[in-house]
Amino acid sequence: MDDTIEAERLSEEDRARLADELASTILADPQFRAAPRSDRQRLARLAIRRGTDWLAARDATLQACDRAQEMTEAVYEQINGRLDELAAELLASPAYQQASSAVARKQAAVRLLIAHADGFSPPALVRDELHARAQRLRKAKGDGLF
């Protein structure tokens, strides 16, 4: 291998330290946290400055995405037990009340969930369950909008 390229490489310890620092910075970004799982790798790569050691950048991207997924699962495990309470809050929100389509109501559910989940985007199943519970609550209250 070329001696210049070899000399520019970070040690394994330095690379791990840099990857951890970069992953923490990426994870602190609200846009990254709120992004759906499918968009996180792209956003993580965009957050890393050009010229950064490519192995450290790769490791940071993977670390940030893995940590975000673990944190998302943990926070939504707790939120699952509160879906009825959150359905009432969603039903009372202006964004939900003013929405005229199911897509817009689901977006209102996403925004509410993100606000209650340390900024993490919800899994589709949780979003859809919250939306369904809000609809059921609305019907139970006798509102004929559905």
Side-chain angles (χ1 to χ4, degrees):
M1 184 168 259
D2 187 343
D3 289 338
T4 359
I5 293 173
E6 195 63 40
E8 292 176 10
R9 279 210 180 139
L10 294 175
S11 71
E12 199 167 315
E13 183 180 294
D14 288 341
R15 185 180 84 218
R17 186 175 29 259
L18 177 58
D20 187 55
E21 289 171 9
L22 290 169
S24 294
T25 300
I26 292 165
L27 199 52
D29 178 8
Q31 184 180 3
F32 175 80
R33 292 167 73 101
R37 182 179 185 179
S38 59
D39 291 343
R40 284 188 181 141
Q41 266 200 4
R42 180 183 55 79
L43 289 173
R45 284 192 301 267
L46 290 172
I48 298 172
R49 196 174 63 233
R50 283 188 131 190
T52 301
D53 178 83
W54 75 272
L55 289 171
R58 181 203 62 192
D59 292 350
T61 297
L62 294 174
Q63 259 186 56
C65 291
D66 288 348
R67 286 168 51 191
Q69 188 57 34
E70 289 169 5
M71 293 170 81
T72 297
E73 289 170 6
V75 76
Y76 280 102
E77 186 175 310
Q78 293 176 347
I79 284 178
N80 274 330
R82 299 179 46 217
L83 287 178
D84 288 331
E85 165 197 335
L86 293 174
E89 185 177 335
L90 177 61
L91 194 56
S93 74
Y96 189 84
Q97 291 176 2
Q98 294 169 2
S100 59
S101 71
V103 171
R105 287 187 294 274
K106 285 182 181 183
Q107 280 304 104
V110 166
R111 287 190 298 277
L112 178 80
L113 286 165
I114 287 172
H116 283 276
D118 295 330
F120 289 103
S121 182
L125 182 64
V126 175
R127 175 206 62 208
D128 291 348
E129 182 61 23
L130 177 60
H131 177 250
R133 289 185 191 201
Q135 284 183 307
R136 189 171 44 232
L137 184 58
R138 186 176 227 175
K139 284 181 184 180
K141 287 185 174 188
D143 191 344
L145 293 178
F146 284 94

